[in-house]
Amino acid sequence: NAGVTQTPKFQVLKTGQSMTLQCAQDMNHNSMYWYRQDPGMGLRLIYYSASEGTTDKGEVPNGYNVSRLNKREFSLRLESAAPSQTSVYFCASRGTPWETQYFGPGTRLLVL
Amino acid sequence: AQKITQTQPGMFVQEKEAVTLDCTYDTSDQSYGLFWYKQPSSGEMIFLIYQGSYDEQNATEGRYSLNFQKARKSANLVISASQLGDSAMYFCAMREGHNGNQFYFGTGTSLTVIP
């Protein structure tokens, strides 16, 4: 089982460039999440999707957009990258409400 | 106010000893869930243990146990018989509401196990 996969693993962008982070899960989970992790800040929720066709803002949604393409895939888009978006991005998925989230390996993004 | 507070930025423990990592939470919901995750230097997030707000018994998973004190709003992680491989960052997290999708993470505690 692959679990939750993320691409790319590492990316360098210049300020103003755009990119899409891809996430896919093979566990037939309804809920999917995008987090960012900054030093000393823990993980902060950017957006989540409770089910296919729905998305909602988390704690830090500004500067990001998401698409729940189907039940398996949930992408995160940076339209115009800024240095403040330099971070490690984690995708996660969850089945039933009382279950834990399962995390992908993360994407390291550097915005110059 | 912070939803999850971890007050110990760094902890040291001797190999084979037990260690307690502190976590306090803030919620007005009656139904919530508390989680602990381990993040080794390789970066992945590994689920360790879960406690539901209505669970009467403290959760245990192998060498991990969760000391749940509802009135104090604390959910401390206890690792028994520490091993060198336990050296990592540890994060406490909370899900509010029974079906909630908002998860809140603490800032983490860095644990170092000394041989």
Side-chain angles (χ1 to χ4, degrees), chain B residues 27-92:
Chain B
T27 183
S28 55
D29 284 0
Q30 295 301 307
S31 177
Y32 51 89
L34 297 158
F35 302 81
W36 277 92
Y37 296 90
K38 173 184 178 181
Q39 187 177 43
S41 58
S42 52
E44 71 267 34
M45 295 290 288
I46 301 167
F47 165 69
L48 296 178
I49 197 165
Y50 166 76
Q51 179 86 40
S53 59
Y54 293 121
D55 294 342
E56 294 184 353
Q57 304 267 5
N58 285 345
T60 60
E61 288 285 348
R63 294 186 298 112
Y64 304 108
S65 60
L66 200 153
N67 184 359
F68 181 45
Q69 298 189 40
K70 199 168 183 176
R72 294 186 179 184
K73 293 190 174 179
S74 75
N76 298 339
L77 177 70
V78 180
I79 305 174
S80 63
S82 296
Q83 301 172 354
L84 296 178
D86 293 335
S87 294
M89 283 291 290
Y90 289 81
F91 291 95
C92 179

Side-chain angles (χ1 to χ4, degrees), chain A residues 31 33 35 37 40-43 45 48 50 57-59 90 94 97-101 103-105, chain B residues 35 37 39 41-47 50 91 95 98-108:
Chain A
S31 301
Y33 308 81
Y35 290 91
Q37 183 178 24
M41 298 287 290
L43 275 75
L45 184 63
Y48 67 93
K57 294 178 181 179
E59 189 182 351
F90 285 97
R94 183 176 67 140
W98 49 89
E99 268 188 297
T100 181
Q101 299 171 84
F103 287 86
Chain B
F35 302 81
Y37 296 90
Q39 187 177 43
S41 58
S42 52
E44 71 267 34
M45 295 290 288
I46 301 167
F47 165 69
Y50 166 76
F91 291 95
R95 180 210 72 231
H98 177 67
N99 294 324
N101 277 292
Q102 289 274 5
F103 281 75
Y104 302 94
F105 282 77
T107 52

Side-chain angles (χ1 to χ4, degrees), chain A residues 35-112:
Chain A
Y35 290 91
R36 60 178 290 172
Q37 183 178 24
D38 303 299
M41 298 287 290
L43 275 75
R44 291 183 292 168
L45 184 63
I46 305 171
Y47 270 94
Y48 67 93
S49 170
S51 61
E52 188 178 350
T54 68
T55 61
D56 282 287
K57 294 178 181 179
E59 189 182 351
V60 288
N62 291 347
Y64 304 96
N65 285 304
V66 290
S67 294
R68 184 74 182 267
L69 305 168
N70 48 55
K71 193 170 186 179
R72 288 188 65 247
E73 298 171 289
F74 189 38
S75 62
L76 178 72
R77 182 159 177 84
L78 287 72
E79 290 291 352
S80 178
S84 60
Q85 294 178 305
T86 292
S87 189
V88 179
Y89 291 85
F90 285 97
C91 178
S93 71
R94 183 176 67 140
T96 55
W98 49 89
E99 268 188 297
T100 181
Q101 299 171 84
Y102 295 87
F103 287 86
T107 293
R108 291 186 175 274
L109 176 65
L110 175 61
V111 183
L112 301 174

